[in-house]
């Protein structure tokens, strides 16, 4: 999936070629969905965010720079959609860098058997689900979307240092979660 | 641990994108485009109607308008220019009083129908200009 091809398709779409934009949708939806699913509360919310993101992207197409990577631009729109969606339910501030980490170990003893990679990853995924939404957003954009710290900061509308802080705290919380789940033998 | 955590997070199991999601998005986009096209066509027809109505209202009133609009001639402008060179203050004063008298004459002959005709004809022209400016600035503007 090259940025050059994206650029060509975006130029075509901007000149009114709807099929070119449909191709862009087909190319980027899976990755976008996976990034968003990481912090969306459920599957239907993730789908709603992705759909609305593409609708807004279509309307904002004249302002899209075809010479720059597309995913960070989409991520920025997706975060705005998410903010709008969540604002109706609960306030969300991506710049909030409060000290508390909500990911608390469930207190359940982990499986006794030796660590298998897939089990570890499954445990970690459960830990990620328990993180605060802003931490999940950073993890989704970083590891599922493959965005740089700068791109994440731009998408979330925060400083790069805030992204680093979120990621650092998320990892600390996950480390604690993994230790609690597996009696500290994972680290 | 940080490196190990990075590696684990990179390989975190992700829920696959639903098979039909892309299709659903493309359908919604197609519906949005259709709706936008219909709205644009409706707008264009309304503006064309306004322009036609304005023209229909204006044509019988052209006579009124022509009496209010001053006539220009090359010789008249030439003599006024030589007056400006000879006596700028007098020429300026005369021009001002002429403009005021044209203005009051125009205000007197302005009927409701004429004003409406001009407004109806100006609306499509202004809309066209606004769209041209918007599309130019949209082409020039980029979002990071």
């Amino acid at each position: 999936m090259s940025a050059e091809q994206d650029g060509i398709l975006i130029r075509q779409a901007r000149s009114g070629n709807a099929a070119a934009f449909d191709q862009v949708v087909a190319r980027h939806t899976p990755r976008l969905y996976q990034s968003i699913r990481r912090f969306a509360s459920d599957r239907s919310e993730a789908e709603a965010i992705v759909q609305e993101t593409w609708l807004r992207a279509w309307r904002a197409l004249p302002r899209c720079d075809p010479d720059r990577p597309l995913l960070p631009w989409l991520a920025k729109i997706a975060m705005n959609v998410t903010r709008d969606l969540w604002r109706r339910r609960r306030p969300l501030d991506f710049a909030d860098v409060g000290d508390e980490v909500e990911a608390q170990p469930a207190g359940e003893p982990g499986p006794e058997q030796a660590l298998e990679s897939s089990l570890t990853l499954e445990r970690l995924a459960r830990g990620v689900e328990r993180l605060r939404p802003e931490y999940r957003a950073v993890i989704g954009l970083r590891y599922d979307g493959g965005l740089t710290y700068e791109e994440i900061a731009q998408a979330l509308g925060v400083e790069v240092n805030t992204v680093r802080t979120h990621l650092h705290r998320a990892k600390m919380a996950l480390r604690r979660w993994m230790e609690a789940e597996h009696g500290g033998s994972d680290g | 641990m940080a490196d190990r955590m990075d590696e684990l997070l990179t390989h975190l199991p992700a829920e696959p994108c639903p098979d039909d999601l892309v299709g659903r998005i493309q359908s919604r986009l197609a519906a949005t485009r259709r709706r936008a096209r219909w709205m644009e066509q409706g707008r264009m027809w309304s503006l064309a109607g306004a322009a036609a109505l304005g023209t229909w209202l204006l044509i019988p009133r052209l006579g009124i308008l022509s009496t209010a609009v001053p006539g220009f001639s090359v010789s008249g402008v030439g003599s006024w220019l030589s007056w400006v060179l000879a006596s700028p203050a007098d020429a300026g004063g005369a021009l001002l009083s002429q403009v005021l008298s044209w203005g009051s004459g125009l205000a007197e002959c302005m009927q409701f129908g004429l004003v409406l005709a001009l407004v109806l004809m100006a609306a499509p022209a202004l809309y066209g200009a606004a769209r041209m400016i918007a599309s130019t600035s949209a082409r020039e503007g980029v979002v990071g």
Side-chain angles (χ1 to χ4, degrees), chain A residues 28-95:
Chain A
H28 288 282
T29 295
R31 203 164 165 206
L32 184 65
Y33 175 83
Q34 287 183 346
S35 304
I36 290 169
R37 182 64 190 93
R38 190 68 66 197
F39 57 83
S41 56
D42 55 34
R43 190 180 168 144
S44 66
E45 186 182 82
E47 289 183 16
I49 292 170
V50 173
Q51 288 195 30
E52 182 61 27
T53 298
W54 282 116
L55 288 177
R56 289 194 194 181
W58 170 254
R59 286 186 212 115
L61 202 54
R63 297 193 301 277
C64 175
D65 186 352
D67 297 322
R68 297 177 73 175
L70 190 65
L71 201 64
W73 182 70
L74 286 173
K76 191 173 182 176
I77 297 173
M79 296 321 298
N80 286 334
V81 172
T82 308
R83 269 197 199 93
D84 292 347
L85 193 69
W86 287 0
R87 196 174 289 139
R88 289 179 222 137
R89 281 183 292 168
R90 56 179 183 270
L92 177 72
D93 185 0
F94 288 120

Side-chain angles (χ1 to χ4, degrees), chain A residues 14 18 21-22 25-26 29-30 33-34 37-38 43 47 50-52 54-55 58 62-63 65 68 73 120-121 124-125 128 143-144 171 174-175 186-187, chain B residues 1-2 4-22 24-26 28-30 32-33 35 138-144:
Chain A
R14 279 174 58 166
F21 192 75
D22 282 351
V25 171
T29 295
Y33 175 83
Q34 287 183 346
R37 182 64 190 93
R38 190 68 66 197
R43 190 180 168 144
E47 289 183 16
V50 173
Q51 288 195 30
E52 182 61 27
W54 282 116
L55 288 177
W58 170 254
R63 297 193 301 277
D65 186 352
R68 297 177 73 175
W73 182 70
T120 307
L121 289 172
L124 187 61
V128 171
Y143 297 102
D144 294 295
K171 283 180 186 173
L174 287 172
R175 205 172 298 141
D186 186 57
Chain B
M1 182 66 194
R4 167 94 172 125
M5 183 60 77
D6 261 334
E7 192 190 321
L8 287 172
L9 286 168
T10 307
H11 295 102
L12 213 55
E15 191 180 289
C17 178
D19 292 335
D20 60 341
L21 183 60
V22 171
R24 275 188 279 144
I25 292 166
Q26 289 171 343
R28 273 192 73 182
L29 281 167
T32 304
R33 289 183 204 119
R35 201 165 45 245
R139 267 200 304 276
E140 287 169 359
V142 280
V143 160

Side-chain angles (χ1 to χ4, degrees), chain A residues 165-184:
Chain A
T165 308
H166 279 352
L167 206 54
H168 175 71
R169 289 182 178 167
K171 283 180 186 173
M172 269 172 46
L174 287 172
R175 205 172 298 141
R176 282 206 296 272
W177 161 262
M178 294 297 278
E179 284 168 1
E181 280 279 284
H182 199 62

Side-chain angles (χ1 to χ4, degrees), chain B:
Chain B
M1 182 66 194
D3 290 342
R4 167 94 172 125
M5 183 60 77
D6 261 334
E7 192 190 321
L8 287 172
L9 286 168
T10 307
H11 295 102
L12 213 55
E15 191 180 289
C17 178
D19 292 335
D20 60 341
L21 183 60
V22 171
R24 275 188 279 144
I25 292 166
Q26 289 171 343
S27 301
R28 273 192 73 182
L29 281 167
T32 304
R33 289 183 204 119
R34 259 196 313 276
R35 201 165 45 245
R37 243 191 332 266
W38 276 107
M39 282 178 70
E40 182 58 25
Q41 279 178 4
R43 205 173 294 128
M44 294 311 288
W45 277 109
S46 306
L47 290 171
L53 183 63
T55 310
W56 181 70
L57 287 170
L58 184 68
I59 286 170
R61 290 165 179 85
L62 273 177
I64 305 169
L65 206 59
S66 64
T67 57
V69 176
F72 288 100
S73 67
V74 178
S75 60
V77 172
S79 64
W80 183 77
L81 282 174
S82 53
W83 189 16
V84 168
L85 291 172
S87 172
D90 289 346
L95 179 68
L96 188 64
S97 79
Q98 188 71 36
V99 166
L100 288 173
S101 86
W102 286 337
S104 61
L106 200 63
E108 277 168 21
C109 72
M110 276 292 177
Q111 302 167 350
F112 175 73
L114 188 60
V115 173
L116 185 64
L118 292 174
V119 168
L120 286 172
M121 290 182 75
L126 288 174
Y127 176 75
R131 279 205 57 169
M132 210 160 68
I133 292 166
S135 71
T136 307
S137 47
R139 267 200 304 276
E140 287 169 359
V142 280
V143 160

Side-chain angles (χ1 to χ4, degrees), chain A residues 122-143:
Chain A
E122 274 175 33
R123 266 200 303 276
L124 187 61
R126 284 203 304 276
V128 171
E129 282 170 18
R130 288 162 184 258
L131 289 175
R132 291 163 55 154
E134 51 268 45
Y135 294 173
R136 292 205 306 270
V138 172
I139 285 177
L141 295 174
R142 175 77 179 147
Y143 297 102

